[in-house]
Amino acid sequence: MTSLLPPTPPASPPYRIGVDVGGTFTDVVLAAADGSALHTAKVPSDADRPAAAVVRAVTEILTRHQVAPEQVEYFAHGQTFALNTVLQRSGARTGLLVTAGFPDLLEIGRLRLRDPIDFFAAPRRPLADRADVREIPERTRVDGTVDRPLDEAALLTAARELLADGVEALAVVFLHAHVHPRHEERAVALLRQAHPGLIVAGSAELWPEEKEYERATVAVLAAHVAGLLRGYLADLSDRLRTHGLSCPLHITKSNGGVMSVEGALATEEGSAALLRAAVETLLSGPAAGVAGAVRLATAAGVGDLVTMDMGGTSVDCAIVEGGHIPYSTDAELGGFPLITPSVEVSSIGAGGGSVAWLDASGVLKVGPRSVGAHPGPACYGHGGTEPTLTDAYVVCGYLDPDDFAGGAVRLAPAAAREAFVPLARRLGTDVERAAEAVVDVATAMMHAQLVPLLARRGVDPAGCHLVPYGGAGPVQAVALARELGIRRLLVPWSPGTLCAFGALVTDLRHDLVAPMGRTTDQLDDEHLRTVWKELDERAHLWYRDQSATLHDRVGLTHWADVQVAGQSFTLSVALPEDREPTVAALREAFTARYRAAYGVDASGRELDVRSLRVTLTAGSRPLTPRARSGIGAGPRPHTVTERGRRVPARRIERADLAPGTVLHGPLVVSAPDATLFLPTGASVAADGVGNLLIDAGHARGKAA
């Protein structure tokens, strides 16, 4: 019997969305869950309403590719909103309540000079002004003995005075609260009870680790940012739901993982969950980029790499060994220490908008000052007149003026040249040589920053791939790779939206810490297991509150911060998954780690275990784009500057670069999200998923 009904069309696959909210653009990646489709887009960011730009980007890409909102099963985004709030000090005016006798906690810090050889360096400016600090009569000794009970009346009076003076949030930091939190917990509870809705951050509640200054900084950062972050997340959630997106919403964290937006919003305004989210998302965007680079490199069989995220203001680099994202517990954020675990990224003030200038001695410098998005580089034609690194690219021919940003931005080469005329005159050379010198200086700055990092990690750059991304990364990448001695580069399929892709593919991740402060002679296996078990249970409670329908592969890693007794610096040691958590196993792991770090055998030495940690990760099904074939159109003639001379080159659109085709420099490969410049001696080929594989060839100035 023949059916008269039309055949049932194949069911459309579910889709996932990743977004990165930058200062200039908001990027979005739309991917089919089975990898059959992958789309990208950019829209201008909205500094006053960042959630509006996110929704605009999402609705535009869904409409363009005819995907219904109900087909989206997952949404994750990274943002620089919290980071910019701290850098601009535009968050809540925060008051600090400290143990009596410690009012200068934030100003003294670690007594390290910002510039030891500059006697006129500006002093550190704390995030909480000295006038907004109040001393509270209370004192608990390191052994838990109460030296002075908490004066609750004085606490409430101090809070009322601060709030009457215009303070908008409070942070509470008491001495030794990380191990004996009773006074601090009582103070936080009293303040929240007396002032409902007020953001009150307790340091031990957020991150119970020793080092009062760093712990205080975490509390102040959380109080400063939390209110604005909650408003942003609530606005984002409401807008996305109004536009029909019903899937779980996530935000990337500084530690390279993601967390549920609903998890933070479901709690009270001043709760610990919201406050922790405020701190844990400070480096959201850069961390997502590293996560995305590692995921793509691993899929391509690359384990050791140097990531290079170059935007308009800075270059953020990370060193990855064995495909493992590097983490740090001593990061710095705008001059403030951040001891919560975060992806280890080093920033260099030499982005595409960085201004080229001569110092008092006539030395050519690039950055750290940037022209920003407005007016932007001179070549954008928006009124900029200062020479920038992007203008140098245009003068040298490294960008295609007829096909920049997919034609959305029409470059003005004449304006770029005009901006370089005064600088070239002062240097006593022509415009082309001056522009090339600026590119060389930027390369040297990146080289000078990265070489010590590689040496400190004991990494041989010759064995690494350089993975450039961001709008300007692929332009500068081959020059930097040659200076570092890196031969191979992997340019992601969409370098300008890689941070959005990173948000899309990263795992759930949560870190917890518990103070220890015991030597191995004082520590027994039972106590070790008990503390780690308590952390495990808290980690699973956090996971239960996440919208983790796609992240079902849960794993726990047990860490310890250990040092040789009498020393001052700890090493983070991960206990092998196949070993029982015992003192002997911890000692063995530390001895191996200590030998690898310092070349010294610490076996037999008494060890001091300062804290225990647990990291929960929950992975989802991997998402890898399928093969993307170019149409194979040939390159067009072009001209670039190399070694001070104009030389013939070619230019080609990235979509025309068919897999397996090998092209040689000098070559400009343009795409809507980023441009690649390939100098003489280098070659490029596309792989099956659209990544560009580059052989950097000989170092500059050397024979091929």
Side-chain angles (χ1 to χ4, degrees), residues 385-397:
T385 58
E386 295 181 283
T388 68
L389 188 54
T390 297
D391 293 312
Y393 295 154
V394 173
V395 171
C396 292

Side-chain angles (χ1 to χ4, degrees), residues 356-359 361-365 387 420-439 441:
W357 56 287
L358 298 180
D359 67 10
S361 301
V363 177
L364 180 61
K365 301 290 183 68
F420 264 91
V421 169
L423 184 65
R425 287 174 180 167
R426 293 191 62 187
L427 290 172
T429 187
D430 57 38
V431 167
E432 285 77 13
R433 289 180 184 271
E436 194 173 22
V438 167
V439 177
V441 169

Side-chain angles (χ1 to χ4, degrees), residues 444-501:
M445 292 172 59
M446 300 173 200
H447 176 266
Q449 183 88 0
L450 279 168
V451 166
L453 295 176
L454 290 161
R456 190 163 66 225
R457 296 278 293 273
V459 175
D460 179 7
C464 296
H465 278 64
L466 182 65
V467 182
Y469 52 99
V475 184
Q476 189 83 33
V478 177
L480 176 60
R482 287 178 170 180
E483 291 296 325
L484 290 170
I486 295 177
R487 184 75 183 246
R488 307 292 179 185
L489 295 87
L490 188 153
V491 180
W493 53 270
S494 181
T497 60
L498 186 67
C499 291
F501 179 76

